[in-house]
Each structure stands twice: as structure tokens, then as C-alpha cells.
Amino acid sequence: MAYHYLTSPTLARVPALLDFVSAKTGEPSPGTSARLTSYFVDNSDDGDFLDHTDVVARAQEGLPARLVREADYLTASVRIPIFSAAFVAATRTELERDLEFHRCVVRCENEEYDDFSVARVRTVLPLIDEARSQQRPAAGGGPPILTEPFFREEYADRFLIARDARYRTLVCSPRLVELVQSHKLRVRFTATA
């Protein structure tokens, strides 16, 4: 069974389409990134900050607003999935066990799109089969970077979308791919072996 990664619309010079920024200043800040990572990626924060602040993502220079308007999934420099209102409406029931959605404003070309949501991935499992996966050392001594991941088959029926417990990688099951395709959502996936 092949698992999948979510893939952003392709722009050769923009690997991560969006940066999360401070709602007050509109600029990236280490504090904003750390707080978002703690809650949405590491699942180690209570998320109380969401009661009094907006999650704001700003498109990197060169990203056309048309791409933002037309996509149902966008990537960010912090590994937090960003989904369109159409994606949330079409999949919320099926994904409520795996995802927790929060409103997100996306800024692009002096426009604000307030119909996006960031998602906290609730399902965290040891999905990576490290013995079969290819890795390379990370700069700065962090955990190795997966260059060709292989996934454990025993978790195949436990999620539609999950995050690996060690590498924090987002993994989509073939069932999610089928669900997205059945709703004709504009989401790209990269298949794995």
C-alpha cells in the first residue's frame, strides 16, 4: 500500500508557499513560529493562545493570488497544513478524528483570504520504518532528514491523515486520496513506495 504526502501547487522557486507571521506586525517572528510549532506540530501546548490571536500566513514573494484562491491545500515554512473552506466543508466529518481545524487568514498580493484553516493533526503514530527508509544527516545535528521514507503497514487502517511521531512528517492514506478525489478538491499528493 502506498502512502502519500500532501504537495503544494508547484512553483519552482518557492518551496514553502507561506510563512506564518505575527497578527500584529505582519512579519515572521521566532515567537510566532515557536508557538505554532508547539501546538500544531509537536502537540505539546494547550493552544490557549488561539483564543486571543489570529493565525496569519503570508504568501512568499512571487506567489500569485490566483494560486491561493484556487488551491485547497497550501504549504507553509512551519509544517502545518493549511486547507481551504471547501476542503474543510467536504471532509470535516471524515477527518474529525485525525484533524482539528482553526481559522487562518492568508495574505497575498495585498489581499486577505479569511476562509482558510490550519489543522492540528491529532493522530500521531510511529509510521516511519527507519530500517527501510533512506535518510541523510541534518545540518545542525537535528534528526536525520528522510529522503525516501517507507511506512509501516500495520497502521494502514488507523488514519486518513497522521503525523509520524519522530519525524513529524504528514502522511496521508490512500483512503484520503480517494476522498479528496471524490470531492474534486484541488490537492496534489506525492505517492511513496
Side-chain angles (χ1 to χ4, degrees):
M1 171 182 294
Y3 288 101
H4 298 79
Y5 289 111
L6 292 164
T7 307
S8 270
T10 304
L11 270 183
R13 60 190 183 92
V14 187
L17 300 178
L18 306 172
D19 291 314
F20 288 104
V21 297
S22 165
K24 290 180 183 174
T25 67
E27 295 299 321
S29 75
T32 299
S33 293
R35 190 168 36 186
L36 292 171
T37 298
S38 177
Y39 183 72
F40 286 99
V41 179
D42 298 333
N43 292 347
S44 63
D45 188 296
D46 60 16
D48 284 346
F49 69 93
L50 293 168
D51 293 337
H52 54 81
T53 190
D54 292 327
V55 177
V56 178
R58 182 182 69 191
Q60 293 185 9
E61 195 168 321
L63 181 71
R66 172 195 53 76
L67 194 60
V68 170
R69 286 191 305 271
E70 293 176 358
D72 288 315
Y73 170 74
L74 297 166
T75 60
S77 55
V78 176
R79 297 176 298 170
I80 302 168
I82 303 171
F83 297 107
S84 70
F87 182 97
V88 174
T91 65
R92 182 183 294 271
T93 302
E94 290 90 344
L95 287 172
E96 67 185 354
R97 184 180 74 183
D98 292 332
L99 296 179
E100 172 187 315
F101 294 105
H102 296 274
R103 182 178 170 273
C104 176
V105 174
V106 175
R107 294 178 180 160
C108 182
E109 294 185 341
N110 299 318
E111 297 289 330
E112 284 199 0
Y113 303 92
D114 63 357
D115 56 346
F116 283 88
S117 293
V118 288
R120 181 181 194 204
V121 181
R122 293 178 173 155
T123 306
V124 179
L125 297 164
L127 297 170
I128 303 294
D129 182 339
E130 293 190 46
R132 294 176 56 207
S133 296
Q134 292 183 17
Q135 307 170 20
R136 67 176 170 81
I145 296 170
L146 294 170
T147 56
E148 190 175 331
F150 280 86
F151 299 97
R152 296 181 175 161
E153 295 296 324
E154 64 261 34
Y155 297 108
D157 294 329
R158 293 170 98 182
F159 66 91
L160 290 176
I161 185 170
R163 199 178 282 280
D164 176 70
R166 178 172 183 207
Y167 293 94
R168 313 314 287 173
T169 302
L170 287 175
V171 181
C172 305
S173 74
R175 292 181 300 139
L176 178 59
V177 175
E178 292 167 10
L179 176 66
V180 165
Q181 290 171 344
S182 73
H183 288 290
K184 296 182 174 37
L185 295 168
R186 297 157 300 199
V187 177
R188 293 183 185 165
F189 296 92
T190 300
T192 63

